[in-house]
Amino acid sequence: MRYKFLLALLGLSLLFTACSAPGGPTTATPEVIPPVIAENTIIAEGRVEPMRYAEIAFNISGDVDEIPVKEGQSVKKGDVLIQLGDESDTKYAAAQLELASVRKDLNDLLNASVEDFAQVVIDLKQAKEDHDKAEQYLNYVRNSPKVPQTETFVYKLQNHEETQVRIRTKHFKGPAPESMITWAENDAALKKAVADKLQLTHDRMAESGVDRDELAVLEARLNAAEAGVAAFAITAPFDGMVADLNAKVGNSIKAREIVVTVADFSGWLIETTDLTEIDVVNLAEDQAVSVKLDAIPDVELQGTILSIGQAFSENQGDVVYEVTILLKDTHPAMRWGMTAEVKFESAE
């Protein structure tokens, strides 16, 4: 057993010596390959849009009478951009006449309010007195045992030659008959109705001296009349610039035909067109973005994600979502509709 053990040790010693001998085969050290880090940038295409814009049309048809602005002109909110109709236009003249009529009626109401209210106070006082007297009389005829009454009798006297008709009136006192009580009840009810109506008028006019129901009707008419005249003009909805003008004086305009576009160029947005569902889940609002315009490739603009669309559309078979970027930088050569390359650093 010991011999066999020694032989085994000798064999192992020779094996180790052979492996470590100079010039013998050696095992190559493997080359270390650096890890590949995938780029985390999402690139999309977009277009330049103004901060806000409005494409405006008339709600009515007509002929253009006046255009006090031109393309590229700055305008303020409420400035008239296009005017339809003139004094020869019957519809425009009718709208102006209605507005003038309502304004006159409203002025008449306001100017006469003090005098009218004073008369209502007088009439109400008299109506209440009349009603009180009617109630007192009703109570009297219902309860008094000695109500003055009159009965009239008609009778005939006849002899051989002629017939005479005689009338006799009897005055007496006693309980009132049902017909007298009914008449008193009706009279009291009528006078109460008059007093109640005047009281309502008094209450409506008490605060401002104006009949509020009549005032409300006239105010509604005024709003409608002003809208009728305003329909013949287009005004600027906000401060901005006339970006597009599709009308000329004398031309006919159809209802709902876009004739002018006003834009606010005080700031710029980028609207993407091809961000897929795989890309958009890696984005978040307020995330930093860099933008280059195809027309100005040497300029890099900075911005942030303003909003991520909830609704989708399809682009060449892909489901895409519109992402809006608010630019922090601007460039004087920027124009509405320019194509942009947008780089997003993934939020993951």
Side-chain angles (χ1 to χ4, degrees), residues 15-154:
L15 177 62
F16 287 138
T17 302
C19 290
S20 61
T26 59
T27 303
T29 302
E31 182 181 357
V32 177
I33 301 175
V36 177
I37 302 174
E39 188 176 356
N40 216 21
T41 300
I42 299 171
I43 299 177
E45 186 175 279
R47 62 182 179 275
V48 177
E49 300 279 355
M51 182 66 71
R52 55 179 172 169
Y53 67 93
E55 296 176 328
I56 313 172
F58 282 99
N59 292 323
I60 60 173
S61 300
D63 296 333
V64 178
D65 178 61
E66 183 183 6
I67 304 177
V69 297
K70 58 184 179 180
E71 285 190 11
Q73 179 177 330
S74 296
V75 293
K76 295 291 185 180
K77 181 179 179 180
D79 287 352
V80 175
L81 307 179
I82 303 176
Q83 177 71 52
L84 295 184
D86 55 23
E87 297 305 325
S88 64
D89 187 323
T90 56
K91 292 182 179 179
Y92 183 55
Q96 287 188 313
L97 180 61
E98 171 63 11
L99 179 57
S101 176
V102 176
R103 284 175 173 168
K104 180 180 181 303
D105 291 344
L106 185 58
N107 287 334
D108 290 346
L109 175 65
L110 296 176
N111 292 335
S113 60
V114 175
E115 181 179 347
D116 290 346
F117 183 63
Q119 187 60 50
V120 167
V121 171
I122 295 171
D123 293 344
L124 177 59
K125 181 176 181 297
Q126 184 62 52
K128 286 182 175 180
E129 291 177 356
D130 293 344
H131 177 242
D132 289 343
K133 291 179 180 179
E135 286 290 340
Q136 292 172 6
Y137 181 73
L138 175 60
N139 183 63
Y140 170 70
V141 297
R142 280 175 173 171
N143 300 301
S144 177
K146 296 182 178 182
V147 178
Q149 300 170 60
T150 301
E151 288 186 0
T152 302
F153 302 93
V154 179

Side-chain angles (χ1 to χ4, degrees), residues 4 32 36 44 63 94 103 138 148 193 199 203 235 257 277 285:
K4 291 180 180 179
V32 177
V36 177
D63 296 333
R103 284 175 173 168
L138 175 60
Q199 184 67 60
D203 294 344
T235 59
E257 176 185 354
E277 55 190 319
E285 291 183 3

